């Protein structure tokens, strides 16, 4: 996960501190704290990683809270635009009982290229934190990386500012439906509707308010038994539910390009800032395998 050299380099006036090969593998926070030790006042420093930083937030390993990323298959790719097959539906129609009368019998296909973009978040550092390596490492691992995961949820759902990633809620070709007063009936009906295009509904994204209603009603366990993983995030509006065959319909592309950067004096009132960055791409193979429910 970490770079394998102990040397430093200067790029565009910013010193880049690379990892120490003589030390055991550290967490991103530990690596950052080790790398910025002794940094002079006014000196920025970039600590690069060959990793996807949102994926290494420690608490993902110990509690079943799923980000949007957890619903998707992930592919390691080169740091360049990625070719993939896009297979949209000619039209949305109910499936018949022969292959020729199924929607996928008339799917078209073409090769497209997914561009890459950088997820970024800046977090101010409390005064004195740079002098406390263990505390700094914990702050990076538990507070900064979780914020980057929120940015990733936002990007996967709403798209990136540079348009490299089209968000799932705005996909051309996505199917839509109504989220009625009986949210449980709406979800189960929509899950079956996802499978009209030949997919298998394996994931749902909901707002936390909807998630905990599913828990209260005892529906969450039933969805899990049916093979559906539920992701909850504030990045989806309360009145929307996104269902889909996530693993077949889309791929999260990870080139393993990431960094943690110490930026001196660029926070509020001249405070220091850490910027976390992790590069991704997003290939949408089958937009019709997603169905978005919206309340009236």
């Amino acid at each position: 996960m970490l770079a394998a050299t102990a040397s430093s380099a200067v790029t565009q006036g910013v010193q880049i501190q690379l990892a120490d090969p003589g030390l055991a593998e550290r967490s991103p926070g530990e690596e950052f704290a080790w790398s910025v030790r002794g940094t002079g006042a006014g000196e920025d420093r970039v600590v690069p990683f060959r990793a996807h930083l949102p994926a290494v937030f420690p608490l993902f390993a110990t509690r079943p809270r799923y980000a949007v990323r957890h619903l998707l298959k992930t592919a390691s790719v080169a740091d360049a635009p990625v070719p993939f097959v896009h297979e949209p539906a000619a039209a949305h129609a109910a499936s018949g009982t022969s292959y020729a009368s199924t929607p996928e019998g008339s799917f078209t296909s073409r090769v497209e290229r997914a561009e890459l973009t950088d997820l970024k978040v800046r977090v101010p550092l409390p005064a004195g934190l740079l002098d406390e390596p263990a505390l700094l490492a914990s702050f990076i691992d538990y507070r900064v990386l979780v914020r980057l995961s929120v940015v990733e949820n936002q990007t996967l759902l709403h798209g990136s500012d540079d348009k490299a990633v089209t968000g799932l809620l705005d996909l051309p070709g996505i199917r839509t439906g109504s989220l009625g007063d009986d949210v449980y009936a709406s979800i189960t009906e929509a899950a079956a509707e996802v499978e009209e295009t030949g997919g298998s509904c394996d994931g749902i994204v909901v707002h936390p308010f909807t998630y905990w209603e599913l828990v209260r009603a005892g529906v969450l366990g039933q969805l899990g038994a049916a093979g559906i993983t539920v992701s909850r995030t504030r990045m989806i509006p309360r009145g929307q539910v996104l269902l889909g065959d996530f693993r077949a319909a889309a791929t999260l592309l990870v080139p393993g390009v990431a960094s943690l950067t110490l930026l001196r004096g660029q926070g509020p009132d001249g405070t220091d800032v850490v910027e976390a960055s992790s590069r991704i791409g997003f290939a949408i193979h089958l937009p019709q395998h997603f169905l978005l429910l919206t309340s009236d």
Side-chain angles (χ1 to χ4, degrees):
M1 180 176 71
L2 305 177
T5 175
S7 64
S8 63
V10 176
T11 302
Q12 296 181 344
V14 177
Q15 184 171 353
I16 301 175
Q17 182 70 40
L18 302 176
D20 179 359
L23 298 177
E25 183 175 294
R26 294 175 286 260
S27 73
E30 291 167 339
E31 181 69 15
F32 181 78
W34 180 85
S35 298
V36 302
R37 72 202 190 290
T39 304
E43 180 185 354
D44 294 348
R45 183 163 290 180
V46 179
V47 183
F49 296 87
R50 291 195 296 267
H52 183 50
L53 289 181
V56 295
F57 173 56
L59 293 183
F60 279 142
T62 58
R63 63 187 184 190
R65 173 140 191 194
Y66 302 108
V68 177
R69 171 176 43 81
H70 290 124
L71 306 183
L72 302 161
K73 65 179 178 295
T74 301
S76 297
V77 298
D79 187 19
V82 180
F84 67 96
V85 175
H86 182 67
E87 197 176 1
H92 297 320
S95 180
T97 57
S98 68
Y99 172 75
S101 62
T102 62
E104 64 267 33
S106 62
F107 286 179
T108 59
S109 62
R110 59 181 182 267
V111 174
E112 295 191 354
R113 278 177 166 73
E115 300 292 331
L116 304 179
T117 192
D118 290 324
L119 307 172
K120 289 187 177 183
V121 66
R122 288 188 175 187
V123 181
L125 295 175
L129 187 60
L130 292 176
D131 299 323
E132 302 289 344
L135 190 59
L136 174 61
S138 180
F139 184 78
I140 296 296
D141 288 334
Y142 287 90
R143 300 306 306 143
V144 175
L145 295 188
V146 72
R147 287 167 164 84
L148 192 60
S149 184
V150 173
V151 172
E152 183 181 62
N153 277 346
Q154 173 190 322
T155 302
L156 293 176
L157 290 175
H158 298 282
S160 58
D161 291 340
D162 62 6
K163 310 301 181 184
V165 169
T166 300
L168 291 172
L169 300 181
D170 300 308
L171 284 181
I174 191 174
R175 292 185 291 160
T176 58
S178 177
L179 182 62
D181 293 336
D182 188 340
V183 64
Y184 322 118
S186 295
I187 285 175
T188 53
E189 182 177 350
E193 185 63 31
V194 166
E195 303 189 356
E196 280 291 291
T197 59
S200 179
C201 186
D202 61 14
I204 300 177
V205 181
V206 298
H207 189 276
F209 274 80
T210 304
Y211 178 90
W212 289 107
E213 275 297 300
L214 294 173
V215 171
R216 183 189 63 80
V219 175
L220 191 65
Q222 296 176 33
L223 293 174
I228 295 176
T229 301
V230 181
S231 167
R232 67 187 190 270
T233 172
R234 296 163 296 162
M235 299 301 103
I236 190 171
R238 293 189 187 185
Q240 291 187 341
V241 173
L242 177 67
L243 304 93
D245 186 344
F246 283 79
R247 285 177 173 78
T251 304
L252 178 64
L253 308 170
V254 179
V257 178
S259 63
L260 291 167
T261 302
L262 174 63
L263 298 169
R264 293 292 200 168
Q266 296 193 32
D269 303 321
T271 57
D272 295 333
V273 167
V274 60
E275 179 182 84
S277 177
S278 203
R279 189 164 299 165
I280 66 165
F282 202 25
I284 304 296
H285 311 288
L286 297 153
Q288 63 273 21
H289 276 16
F290 291 104
L291 195 158
L292 178 62
L293 299 180
T294 303
S295 59
D296 297 329

